[in-house]
Amino acid sequence: MANNPSDGYFNRLPDGSQIHATRFMRGGAASTITYPYGSGRVFATTCYIDQAWGAGQWSLNAGRMLRDAVTCGL
């Protein structure tokens, strides 16, 4: 798990959730998860990767996370 720039965190996790990233603040609360839904999985995150790019706060780790999430989904 990694700490990533996030605007929030999940208060409750669906059954079968897997945590992929945590928020540095709030004691490591989940900020990126996947969970089963039907015959597939849902990817959910509170990370503000797109906004960070425009604000000059982009990080290489955030970019890798986005790349890996999209690649996995394809």
Side-chain angles (χ1 to χ4, degrees):
M1 286 183 278
N3 287 308
N4 289 301
S6 69
D7 195 27
Y9 56 94
F10 295 100
N11 289 318
R12 296 182 310 166
L13 300 178
D15 291 338
S17 292
Q18 183 176 2
I19 300 171
H20 299 283
T22 58
R23 185 165 182 206
F24 182 72
M25 306 286 286
R26 303 284 183 206
S31 63
T32 302
I33 62 171
T34 56
Y35 59 91
Y37 187 80
S39 61
R41 294 189 66 76
V42 172
F43 175 87
T45 186
T46 64
C47 295
Y48 53 84
I49 298 167
D50 56 342
Q51 183 179 353
W53 174 266
Q57 298 172 339
W58 181 259
S59 74
L60 187 54
N61 284 339
R64 288 177 178 153
M65 186 184 82
L66 178 60
R67 178 204 61 204
D68 293 347
V70 171
T71 300
C72 181
L74 295 173

